[in-house]
Amino acid sequence: MFGETLAAFPGSVVVDGFYAGRNRIEAMADYAITHMPDRCALLGHSMGARIALEVVRKAPHRVERLALVDTGVHPVRPGERESRYRLRDIGRAQGMSALVGEWLPPMMGFAALRNEALMDALYAMAVAAGLPTFEAQIEALLHRPSVDALLPTITCPTVAMVGRQDQWSSVAQHISIAAAIPHAQLRVVEGAGHMMPAEAPRAFNRQVREWLAKPPAPDFRTLPDQVEGEV
């Protein structure tokens, strides 16, 4: 997913390991906090963006700036549980290959669907993750915490970024995210779907570079105690 981004930004790191099997957003955020630098620019994609928001809730002083990519902030919707469990049950009955064969194509933009090498790579990645990882992640998403009260309190430079052809997490969702966070900016990448970092890495990296160029949020740990108390 982030191979070309890691190559384009030396020193960047990914919190890997599927959160060691954790199945709640809050616990995944704790895992991320223990595996990320003391202070950093934090980018989350899809479910990872929900985890990034929980990191901001738990440790705002660790986040210099925030990017929320191809994601959502809404609560569980009617029918969502049934839809996610239907995919889970395909995996249980027929294996991960069948599950990913149904799950992956709707995630992709139109051009990416015709990119055989990319589709093969993403398919292999998802199959290799395994059913226990998929099940842990859907349980985390189905029990996700509300962020309605959190979003207006975010003060670091924030961007909501989405592929124009993302049918899973729509442009409209990102308009709402940007509107809910003070001074957040919206960026739409043409010709990309939900897997934008892999589908359109050059365009994605341009947006990341622009986001990284913004003045950072203040590090409140360096301010006098009395000022920190006022904040």
Side-chain angles (χ1 to χ4, degrees):
M1 281 297 295
F2 293 103
E4 294 202 33
T5 300
L6 290 168
F9 298 95
S12 57
V13 296
V14 169
V15 176
D16 210 344
F18 300 114
Y19 308 100
R22 288 161 173 78
N23 64 359
R24 292 294 186 271
I25 296 293
E26 297 92 334
M28 291 171 167
D30 290 336
Y31 180 92
I33 289 168
T34 63
H35 288 81
M36 68 187 228
D38 287 343
R39 186 165 168 82
C40 64
L42 183 62
L43 185 151
H45 171 262
S46 193
M47 184 188 75
R50 292 185 179 272
I51 296 166
L53 285 169
E54 196 62 22
V55 170
V56 172
R57 191 200 311 268
K58 289 172 173 283
H61 60 282
R62 302 279 297 274
V63 181
E64 180 181 280
R65 66 190 76 228
L66 179 67
L68 305 171
V69 182
D70 293 302
T71 191
V73 295
H74 52 276
V76 176
R77 290 170 168 164
E80 180 178 341
R81 182 179 303 273
E82 292 77 11
S83 177
R84 293 189 185 278
Y85 282 168
R86 183 183 66 82
L87 282 170
R88 177 204 64 186
D89 291 344
I90 289 173
R92 288 179 173 180
Q94 302 175 45
M96 276 298 286
S97 293
L99 186 161
V100 176
E102 181 155 344
W103 169 83
L104 181 60
M107 297 280 184
M108 309 302 293
F110 306 137
L113 283 170
R114 300 191 297 271
N115 185 333
E116 185 174 345
L118 175 62
M119 291 299 295
D120 285 350
L122 292 178
Y123 178 87
M125 176 191 73
V127 170
L131 187 59
T133 294
F134 183 84
E135 294 197 16
Q137 292 186 359
I138 64 172
E139 289 303 318
L141 288 166
L142 290 174
H143 295 88
R144 56 189 182 255
S146 172
V147 295
D148 289 349
L150 172 66
L151 299 180
T153 71
I154 296 174
T155 58
C156 64
T158 300
V159 63
M161 199 184 310
V162 61
R164 175 74 71 183
Q165 297 172 8
D166 190 337
Q167 301 177 62
W168 191 263
S169 303
S170 68
V171 172
Q173 287 183 190
H174 293 75
I175 292 173
S176 297
I177 293 170
I181 300 174
H183 310 297
Q185 296 186 334
L186 172 71
R187 293 291 182 267
V188 179
V189 174
E190 302 296 335
H194 189 73
M195 300 300 196
M196 174 171 56
E199 293 180 54
R202 290 183 181 178
F204 175 70
N205 288 347
R206 283 197 298 270
Q207 296 298 335
V208 171
R209 191 168 287 108
E210 179 183 312
W211 166 65
L212 290 173
K214 298 182 184 303
D219 185 348
F220 295 121
R221 293 171 302 172
T222 66
L223 299 179
D225 291 342
Q226 63 269 27
V227 176
E228 183 174 349
E230 292 171 3
V231 175

